[in-house]
Amino acid sequence: MTELPAQPVIHEVNTRVWLRELGLRIGRPVGLAEVPKDIWDEVTPAGVDAVWLMGVWERSPLGRSIALDNPTLRAAFDAAVPGVGEEDIAGSPYCIRRYVVDEAIGGPAGLAAARDELDRRGVGLLLDYVPNHVAPDSPWVAEHPEYFVRGDADDARRDPAAFLDTGRAVIARGRDPFFPPWPDVVQLNAFAPELRRATTDVLAEIGEACDGVRCDMAMLLMNDVFARTWGDRAGTPPDREFWPEVVAGVRARHPHMVFAAEAYWDLEWALQEQGFDFCYDKRLYDRILHESATSVRDHLRADERYQRGLVRFLENHDEPRAAHTLPPDKERAAAVLIATLPGATLWHEGQFTGRRIHLPVFLDRRVDEAPDAGLRAFHERLLARVRHSGMRTGSWRLLECQVWPDNDSGRDLIASCWTGGAGRFLSVVNLSDHPAQAHIPLPWPELGEDVWELTDLVFSEDRYGRSGADLLGTGLYVDLPPWGTHVFSVAAGRP
């Protein structure tokens, strides 16, 4: 088992798509056990701590047939991949029949081989877990109806879109409280003690094959959310929350297993308190894309401990591609910001090379897009240099940017620093489409009166000598172009 660092850099890979393209590239079908070593090197560039192999579990044939019959989904598939055929539609990786590695990608032996290759590189492995629902053809439906939210024959007659009559029981279809039921999954009952025990057992078994799990829509299982969603149908809420009970049971067998939550609705802190190491920071994503630098800065004023438990990202399989939503210069500025913040960071396969087309997760084929070699070099250099510096092993702090009455452009700068055994580091990002200037007082009293050298870590390796007195007093003067960035190490100057 590879123990992940406190703030890991995660690379998400759509497993079936990746393997299919790799097979075309080398001229033969490829499972996880047959991936050449140099290809593993490609998905684990310097600075990546873990690979999330998304979609390895056995998908539901019934769920796939439901997707094939859904005109809205078929239109979305054809929009993403014109001329897509039924043979390209694998079904949803979140409509899981069993937590067994799909034989189409090499089965359990293939996953074990993949983990060995990652472990040799000191890279961890993350896999999916979907706690809220399973496919309607899951063995649990027939074998364990007590695991599910139940209805009756009247429910099935009155609302067949919300309830499924299996012939043995009427089971609710999966949902969250803000949307209609999902037609291809059935709803597990978070209040059922039998389901909690089964979840613990499945996750512990998954923990034998990986170093951590990304838990889909984790907030749906919280007692108050689940009660609001299902009311009396779920039964009486237990005294104990779902996640503390499950996580404690799993960690009794796998003490270092990492739990990351897909989380929304401002429930990130509550889920951290319930045992998750990391929770999605969707608020930061939205603020970077759609709001001002002031909004981003206010978000980053949160307690450092809380921020260390967040997952920062600019795209993932649920969101549009960053190259589509962001202009190139803004995308690079946002990437520098994300890479130098506390917390885990998530990077999506294809993000480094500028893919623009968002692929529905049901598909295992995507259109060819010309890779942007310059963008890939930028990302790989950024991640490698941040890792090599050791900055994220220290403590982090948001810094204030001082502006003046006739020039408040500095309000669009986001400045922060890291301090620790690896040294002192300063990051400044201009989150605007115009030049921005400010003075940034640095928080290190030990700078004193000496001359200090600021070295650009990521892009130019330029060096600048500055007086400690000035850095502590007036502050470092920064003048950045639109979407410009600085990432500096701050060390004693040469005599």
Side-chain angles (χ1 to χ4, degrees), residues 411-422:
R411 70 184 187 280
D412 291 319
L413 298 175
I414 307 294
S416 66
C417 69
W418 289 91
T419 312

Side-chain angles (χ1 to χ4, degrees), residues 357-370:
I357 298 172
H358 178 254
L359 187 74
V361 293
F362 294 77
L363 305 184
D364 64 5
R365 179 167 74 86
R366 60 187 172 188
V367 298
D368 291 332
E369 296 184 71

Side-chain angles (χ1 to χ4, degrees), residues 329-390:
D329 289 347
K330 183 176 180 179
E331 181 183 0
R332 285 169 169 79
V336 172
L337 178 66
I338 292 290
T340 57
L341 288 177
T345 64
L346 174 63
W347 309 84
H348 189 198
E349 190 271 326
Q351 181 178 351
F352 295 165
T353 57
R355 282 192 171 271
R356 300 178 58 84
I357 298 172
H358 178 254
L359 187 74
V361 293
F362 294 77
L363 305 184
D364 64 5
R365 179 167 74 86
R366 60 187 172 188
V367 298
D368 291 332
E369 296 184 71
D372 183 333
L375 186 63
R376 181 180 182 101
F378 162 84
H379 280 102
E380 292 187 351
R381 185 177 179 89
L382 172 64
L383 297 187
R385 291 299 182 91
V386 169
R387 157 71 76 77
H388 181 72
S389 75

Side-chain angles (χ1 to χ4, degrees), residues 133-146:
H133 49 259
V134 294
D137 51 355
S138 163
W140 279 3
V141 171
E143 297 169 6
H144 295 286
E146 70 274 15

Side-chain angles (χ1 to χ4, degrees), residues 218-482:
M219 72 285 176
L220 294 180
L221 287 299
M222 298 171 70
N223 281 3
D224 56 346
V225 174
F226 202 81
R228 287 198 303 271
T229 306
W230 292 104
D232 293 341
R233 292 187 186 279
T236 303
D239 293 333
R240 195 172 185 193
E241 288 278 355
F242 178 90
W243 287 115
E245 184 173 339
V246 168
V247 172
V250 175
R251 286 205 170 123
R253 288 175 258 187
H254 303 291
H256 301 295
M257 187 169 169
V258 170
F259 280 79
E262 181 191 18
Y264 307 105
W265 312 335
D266 296 323
L267 292 171
E268 296 84 359
W269 173 250
L271 285 166
Q272 288 180 19
E273 290 290 282
Q274 291 187 17
F276 278 92
D277 300 286
F278 303 102
C279 298
Y280 272 32
D281 192 358
K282 178 67 160 56
R283 290 289 186 192
L284 179 62
Y285 169 85
D286 289 336
R287 286 178 165 129
I288 290 173
L289 263 67
H290 307 298
E291 299 179 21
S292 67
T294 299
S295 174
V296 172
R297 185 184 305 106
D298 288 344
H299 184 84
L300 298 176
R301 295 188 191 280
D303 180 77
E304 182 188 0
R305 177 190 161 209
Y306 165 68
Q307 295 198 57
R308 284 175 176 267
L310 296 174
V311 180
R312 323 288 198 162
F313 56 87
L314 296 176
E315 67 171 69
N316 57 56
H317 68 261
D318 289 316
E319 306 293 350
R321 287 289 191 175
H324 174 73
T325 58
L326 297 169
D329 289 347
K330 183 176 180 179
E331 181 183 0
R332 285 169 169 79
V336 172
L337 178 66
I338 292 290
T340 57
L341 288 177
T345 64
L346 174 63
W347 309 84
H348 189 198
E349 190 271 326
Q351 181 178 351
F352 295 165
T353 57
R355 282 192 171 271
R356 300 178 58 84
I357 298 172
H358 178 254
L359 187 74
V361 293
F362 294 77
L363 305 184
D364 64 5
R365 179 167 74 86
R366 60 187 172 188
V367 298
D368 291 332
E369 296 184 71
D372 183 333
L375 186 63
R376 181 180 182 101
F378 162 84
H379 280 102
E380 292 187 351
R381 185 177 179 89
L382 172 64
L383 297 187
R385 291 299 182 91
V386 169
R387 157 71 76 77
H388 181 72
S389 75
M391 69 172 69
R392 283 166 32 99
T393 62
S395 61
W396 177 88
R397 179 173 172 178
L398 185 68
L399 301 178
E400 297 302 324
C401 298
Q402 296 185 354
V403 300
W404 36 95
D406 61 345
N407 180 3
D408 65 352
S409 62
R411 70 184 187 280
D412 291 319
L413 298 175
I414 307 294
S416 66
C417 69
W418 289 91
T419 312
R424 304 171 191 83
F425 304 92
L426 171 68
S427 299
V428 190
V429 176
N430 182 3
L431 280 184
S432 76
D433 60 0
H434 56 75
Q437 302 84 35
H439 285 102
I440 304 171
L442 302 188
W444 301 303
E446 66 272 19
L447 297 183
E449 300 288 331
D450 297 334
V451 172
W452 293 80
E453 191 169 76
L454 283 68
T455 303
D456 188 306
L457 281 181
V458 176
F459 304 116
S460 69
E461 299 182 355
D462 290 344
R463 290 180 168 83
Y464 308 90
R466 294 293 185 268
S467 157
D470 289 344
L471 295 175
L472 292 169
T474 306
L476 176 69
Y477 175 70
V478 171
D479 182 0
L480 281 171

